[in-house]
Amino acid sequence: MPVSPPPLKGLPLNALRAFEAAARLGGFASAAAELGVTAGAVTAHVKSLEETLGAALFERHAKGVRLTALGQRVLPEFTGAFDQLGLAVQRLRAEAAPRLVHIAALPAIAQLWLSPRLPAIRAAAPEITVSITAMEAPPDLKRAPFDLNLFFRDDDLGRRVADDEIFPVCAPGLAARLCNPDDLAEVPCLSDAVWSGDWQAWADAVRPGWAFVPRGPVYSLFALAVEETVNGAGVLMGHAPLVAQHLASGALVAPFGHRHRLRRTMRLWSARPLRPGSAATRVADWLSA
């Protein structure tokens, strides 16, 4: 009589994913943020996995967790496996919806540079749908469902879309009061919270050793700072790609001729080679033309 042994029980995928994320990111809270769950859920998954294995994967301490020797040995294989799974899922999405292009972009780029270009893309390729998600930092394209990334970078990853030059901009009415850079001390100078060093970087380029301290409000959204500048609230340190449209329309002007080119550039990249003729390739070609 043939014997049919019961199949070996596999390890739960969610628990393995929780372990890999926590091990790679160095903590349960960071893993929870990436996976979109609570830290308690990650903790429970990891604990269940350890109980099933009968071995500890993390050492718990008052200030956090640290991988055990076992966890360190197996982490690279799990990271590689989940990277490959993520890429496979992306390929499946792309094959299932070949005319849909997902783009992750810095909020300021999404609002001030990318959004104004969407009507032309729709007119040129009405069969393509472009979806945009604004994010403060580039996602891991091996895991996240995005076809393209559009952010400022200081390396040469992907395609260079635009250089990043900074220079003061303001409404035309305010520009009449500014004859030289020293006049900035007499007007509000708006700042972006993330790019807080812009004013000093420009000041150093204009006059080495000039310790310029901007006097004015600080904004957490660069696009909001641009709109307030258009409304006459003060002078903003503009980024050339992000204020180009306002300069072209005359809503903003550059009162001085001094520009400072930053090392970083606006770059467009993908996690995998783009297929010739695909919707993502066509959008990437159009944006980087």
Side-chain angles (χ1 to χ4, degrees):
M1 180 176 181
V3 176
S4 299
L8 292 175
K9 186 177 181 181
L11 298 174
L13 182 60
N14 284 341
L16 294 172
R17 190 183 294 275
F19 157 70
E20 189 277 333
R24 172 170 43 86
L25 299 173
F28 293 168
S30 299
E34 179 179 274
L35 298 175
V37 298
T38 65
V42 172
T43 301
H45 278 310
V46 172
K47 183 178 179 181
S48 174
L49 181 60
E50 290 175 322
E51 290 176 348
T52 301
L53 292 171
L57 297 171
F58 290 93
E59 297 174 358
R60 276 73 170 175
H61 302 278
K63 295 184 178 181
V65 296
R66 184 170 59 236
L67 278 172
T68 62
L70 171 61
Q72 292 175 6
R73 288 197 301 271
V74 301
L75 174 61
E77 294 180 70
F78 277 102
T79 296
F82 279 113
D83 282 348
Q84 289 301 312
L85 177 60
L87 291 172
V89 169
Q90 288 191 40
R91 181 174 180 178
L92 177 61
R93 287 177 180 270
E95 295 287 345
R99 296 179 180 179
L100 177 61
V101 179
H102 295 271
I103 302 177
L106 190 73
I109 294 177
Q111 293 171 280
L112 299 172
W113 191 90
L114 184 53
S115 179
R117 286 164 168 75
L118 294 182
I121 293 179
R122 286 194 295 270
E127 74 280 7
I128 295 177
T129 299
V130 178
S131 172
I132 300 173
T133 300
M135 308 177 71
E136 292 294 342
D140 182 353
L141 287 187
K142 294 179 181 178
R143 307 294 181 91
F146 297 106
D147 300 294
L148 300 171
N149 259 350
L150 189 59
F151 289 81
F152 287 115
R153 296 184 66 97
D154 57 6
D155 57 24
D156 59 357
L157 178 66
R159 310 183 188 189
R160 183 185 65 81
V161 176
D163 293 325
D164 191 13
E165 287 186 326
I166 57 174
F167 49 91
V169 296
C170 63
L174 184 56
R177 298 165 49 188
L178 304 173
C179 297
N180 60 70
D182 288 324
D183 293 334
L184 291 169
E186 307 301 324
V187 297
C189 292
L190 285 56
S191 299
D192 178 83
V194 176
W195 294 325
S196 58
D198 281 357
W199 276 105
Q200 190 56 57
W202 178 82
D204 283 337
V206 171
R207 187 184 304 159
W210 182 16
F212 181 79
V213 179
R215 179 180 59 85
V218 178
Y219 297 86
S220 62
L221 291 175
F222 186 77
L224 179 57
V226 170
E227 288 306 308
E228 277 296 270
T229 305
V230 170
N231 294 335
V235 183
L236 174 68
M237 188 56 62
H239 290 252
L242 306 182
V243 298
Q245 187 178 38
H246 290 83
L247 291 173
S249 70
L252 292 176
V253 297
F256 314 118
H258 305 282
R259 293 191 174 203
H260 175 55
R261 178 173 292 185
L262 300 177
R263 177 183 176 185
R264 67 186 178 219
T265 56
M266 188 191 301
R267 307 199 72 86
L268 182 72
W269 73 95
S270 174
R272 60 189 185 281
L274 296 175
R275 292 183 295 105
S278 68
T281 299
R282 294 170 64 189
V283 171
D285 290 344
W286 198 93
L287 292 177
S288 58

